[in-house]
Amino acid sequence: MRALRPESFEVRRDELRELVRRSREMVLLAAITGVLTGLGVRGFEWVVEEIFHAVLEAPLWVTATAPAAGLVGSAIVLKFMGGGASPSTSDEYLRAFHDPAYRLRPRHLAARISASVLTLGSGGSLGLEGPSLYGGSALGSLLQSKLPRPFRGSDHRTLLVAGAAAGVAAIFKAPATGAIFALEVPYRDDMARRMLLPALVASASGYLTFVTLSSTTPLLSFGTFSVQGFELIDLFGAVVVGATCAIGARFFAKVMRIAKGFSLRALPFRLVFASLSLTCLFFISRELTGMPLSMGSGYEVFREWLFVESDIAIWLLVAMFLIRCSASAFTVAGGGVGGVFVPLVVAGGITGRGIAEVLHDGREQLYTGLGVAAFLGAGYRVPLAAVMFVAETTGTPGFIVPALFAAVAAELVMGEQSITAYQRRPGTD
């Protein structure tokens, strides 16, 4: 009977067995990548938090000038340790994703992570997720490149995406967000579906490793977020939030493009300008709110202000929106290293809270979450990841339906704009 089998059947069977074997190996490698990334991200976060807390407890003049010192230190590290490496993090992942010849070099990885510790630990207004995503993707890419040729798989991006997913999942303690974001962000209006399984495995292992060393408490769960459901009027409000956040995200994206262009100017000039601007914003925010809310990634804006104050004047919300956007832009303009995911989250939270004060008093928490989903989804063109992010980081899924309305409205109004220039349209690889 064996002799009667077609030769093509034997070949296909052997190919199928080889595919299954390699798939199992890539899943195992994705899990290993996730564990290593989770360990690295936990250490990175711990160092940044320890430095930042020390800065906040220092004398006033030290706290006020710390972001400027961080920019100077970052510039020195990138120039001498990184050999003139750029401060880009998330964009590096997108460049490596779309260009098989582009390499994430270990020297640049060490320099950028060190510079991000200085930037973020000193109070720079960027997020930890950029270096976490970049570090995970660089680790995954390096690991895959070192494997024997038969084990590398057919796509150079497999462990690159897995590492990126693990980095985001770990730093946000949100495994689904990590996987979706890593797959969704390379394209506009599409996803890198072929890397779904490695991304899911790496996200889960990265998340489990991280929370084993910290806690499972959701990132934005401060004991005050108590949204239980939504009303029909909230669907209308969600559309308003989405459209408004898209306009704000277009403004933010333009400001960040200007800031990135400014960061290419002569080093002394941009450092002085950015440092003076950040110091002024520190004193302005402290005068308006009694807290240095212009500093740090921005979680304090939720923890100590948006989720605490029952009544905030519209003019103050507008002022803080401009302060936070400006602080992030000046940090980028000065050559600081960090992510813009969390700055988008903060801007969206402030926007949503402002709309709640106008449209639906008493639903501030719901509208704050809707603003986060809409602003983040529009800025990075990742509506699914944005909705999932708020669900996981608040531990409150009751707003998901209105959040989808907000994200869709934001996506439509956002048009072709994006916070990054390295995203591509589907089918352009």
Side-chain angles (χ1 to χ4, degrees), residues 349-422:
I350 295 173
T351 303
R353 176 62 187 266
I355 294 173
E357 295 287 345
V358 174
L359 291 184
H360 201 164
D361 189 32
R363 302 287 280 175
E364 291 86 0
Q365 293 178 346
L366 172 64
Y367 279 62
T368 299
L370 296 181
V372 170
F375 212 105
L376 173 59
Y380 256 125
R381 309 304 300 275
V382 288
L384 292 178
V387 173
M388 186 57 66
F389 170 80
V390 186
E392 289 189 292
T393 56
T394 62
T396 307
F399 76 99
I400 287 183
V401 172
L404 290 172
F405 275 76
V408 170
E411 185 77 5
L412 293 175
V413 177
M414 191 66 181
E416 294 296 319
Q417 298 294 316
S418 174
I419 198 72
T420 175
Y422 290 97

